[in-house]
Amino acid sequence: MAGETFQSYLQSIGLSRDKIRITNTCFFRPIKKKLSKTGRVTISNRPPKSSETKLFKEVLDDEIALVNPKIIITLGNVPLKRLTNFDSIGECHGKLYFNEELKRNVFPMYHPSSLTYNRNDEFKTIYEEDWLKLKEALKTM
């Protein structure tokens, strides 16, 4: 569902998936296991810990250097914390920042899945405005 949301917003600003590169800050799927009251084990996704993203720091940095992107768009808190000094996407989304270490522009955005969890008009408006700001930022690149 998040992929479809992402795809539709990309199209809304005139981009297609073949013009972008999608990667991760953690190259394995972190999971959590829970034991239900019935004794059944359930497995679900969880955000990677900072120690887990640090395992792939050099890999991601090398990928960024190889791809040489004009701009890095972080989707959500995990890549935000890895590529900026911000603690939360709420304090910086929709604005362009420069990462001195990587010498790259970074544009923090909410993850597309956030629309699934924040089903209100105010949040949707903020999300859509961030995409319009991204479109403007890309014009300057």
Side-chain angles (χ1 to χ4, degrees):
M1 194 163 156
E4 290 173 14
T5 300
F6 183 70
Q7 179 78 23
S8 69
Y9 280 98
L10 269 179
Q11 289 174 341
S12 76
I13 64 166
L15 287 176
S16 58
R17 293 274 294 253
D18 64 331
K19 300 293 181 198
I20 65 166
R21 179 169 180 88
I22 298 172
T23 191
N24 284 297
T25 54
C26 183
F27 291 92
F28 62 82
R29 178 181 171 226
I31 60 170
K32 61 182 171 185
K33 294 181 182 181
K34 285 186 179 179
L35 188 62
S36 70
K37 292 178 183 176
T38 62
R40 186 172 172 217
V41 175
T42 61
I43 298 174
S44 60
N45 294 334
R46 65 165 174 78
K49 299 171 185 170
S50 60
S51 61
E52 293 167 337
T53 60
K54 284 178 185 173
L55 292 172
F56 299 99
K57 181 184 185 320
E58 289 181 25
V59 173
L60 182 59
D61 290 353
D62 287 349
E63 181 179 358
I64 290 168
L66 181 66
V67 173
N68 193 25
K70 293 178 183 177
I71 187 172
I72 298 171
I73 302 161
T74 60
L75 300 176
N77 280 321
V78 174
L80 174 80
K81 290 176 182 177
R82 165 60 177 83
L83 296 171
T84 74
N85 293 321
F86 295 104
D87 292 323
S88 169
I89 190 70
E91 63 185 289
C92 61
H93 66 91
K95 297 179 185 126
L96 195 60
Y97 297 92
F98 191 74
N99 178 309
E100 289 290 339
E101 180 185 346
L102 295 172
K103 305 290 186 232
R104 306 277 179 215
N105 287 303
V106 177
F107 191 92
M109 295 184 72
Y110 286 98
H111 193 281
S113 66
S114 63
L115 287 176
T116 304
Y117 305 110
N118 298 299
R119 293 180 184 239
N120 66 65
D121 292 337
E122 182 182 353
F123 182 77
K124 187 174 182 184
T125 299
I126 290 168
Y127 189 80
E128 290 172 352
E129 287 172 354
D130 284 355
W131 278 93
L132 294 174
K133 291 174 186 176
L134 173 60
K135 183 177 183 177
E136 291 304 309
L138 289 170
K139 288 179 183 177
T140 67
M141 303 281 138

